[in-house]
Amino acid sequence: MHLTWLDNNSWLIEMGEQRILLDPWFVGPLVFGNLPWFFKGERRTPRAIPEHIDLILLSQGLEDHAHTPTLEQLDRSIPVVASPNAAKVVQGLGYQKVTVLPHGESFVLRDRVAIKAIPGSPVGPFLVENGYLLEDLRTGTSLYYEPHGYHSAMLQEGTSVDIIISPIINVELPFIGAILQGWDSVLDVVRGLKPQVLVPTAAGGEIEFSGVLNNVLQIKGSTEELRHQLEANNLATQLLEPEPGKRFKLELKS
């Protein structure tokens, strides 16, 4: 298996000889609700859109997961698997093969990779978006992705995975609480799933953020603190720090 972190929540996952583009953002700035004064993300380093994509996988319908300017540049014939909310975005853009994946349901890509939707991040009071469990059907290698640090009991009941992609820090608003709750949840999910490898997502990379919201955000936790926590809890999980834009191979024990 190979992974390439493309900043923020964007990943290229290569498993089962398939190339899966996850929550892509490549084109233009990241803006919520067309309000750049409120929050804006811009790349310091341009990223080329990867070629030969077998599947686009979308966890949420928000702009940092279903980024409309990027999706407008991708080939509309590429199959898409998406949360119900994200499916509305790509359907509105004219994508031809969209599979809506509610919680608990699965999709199999070319008899190579099984993708199961897991309850993920709450967005407002009535919507819970998707996390995903991916399995290479030839080797049994598995990967779990949830971009905001909300880990469902559905996944932890007797499940073990090889790789977790999850935030490891909290991003918090004063008087409101965590937007990302990675620091609050990552140790528990590692204890429960016992992955060989943990890979951070959703923060850092070669991105510059600005706007009113960015000025009041607070960060809790760090890579170094988490390494100490893993060691103190006798957890053998390897914590990786991927370099943005650099493809790397995951060496897993059989």
Side-chain angles (χ1 to χ4, degrees), residues 35-49:
L35 299 171
W37 58 269
F38 183 67
F39 183 86
K40 183 178 182 180
E42 296 180 285
R43 294 185 172 280
R44 292 195 297 269
T45 303
R47 296 260 180 259
I49 295 176

Side-chain angles (χ1 to χ4, degrees), residues 122-217:
V123 178
F126 305 112
L127 175 64
V128 176
E129 290 279 24
N130 282 6
Y132 290 111
L133 180 63
L134 289 74
E135 181 183 3
D136 184 326
L137 294 176
R138 299 173 309 160
T139 66
T141 302
S142 57
L143 179 150
Y144 166 59
Y145 167 79
E146 204 297 310
H148 284 203
Y150 289 85
H151 304 299
S152 170
M154 176 189 291
L155 183 64
Q156 297 191 44
E157 293 172 356
T159 306
S160 63
V161 301
D162 297 299
I163 305 112
I164 293 177
I165 300 177
S166 169
I168 65 168
I169 63 169
N170 277 21
V171 177
E172 302 178 346
L173 281 170
F175 310 112
I176 294 176
I179 298 172
L180 299 182
Q181 62 162 19
W183 182 252
D184 289 344
S185 64
V186 68
L187 201 59
D188 284 342
V189 77
V190 169
R191 285 196 193 101
L193 300 182
K194 300 178 176 58
Q196 294 188 40
V197 176
L198 171 64
V199 188
T201 193
E206 297 176 343
I207 306 292
E208 292 182 353
F209 294 106
S210 60
V212 173
L213 180 63
N214 185 65
N215 293 335
V216 298
L217 293 176

Side-chain angles (χ1 to χ4, degrees), residues 83-102:
S83 71
N85 202 37
K88 296 175 186 176
V89 178
V90 286
Q91 288 166 341
L93 294 173
Y95 277 78
Q96 301 163 20
K97 302 174 184 177
V98 180
T99 299
V100 183
L101 211 59

Side-chain angles (χ1 to χ4, degrees), residues 103-120:
H103 303 152
E105 296 194 9
S106 297
F107 171 88
V108 176
L109 176 61
R110 296 178 178 171
D111 296 322
R112 301 290 184 88
V113 180
I115 302 172
K116 183 176 182 179
I118 305 295

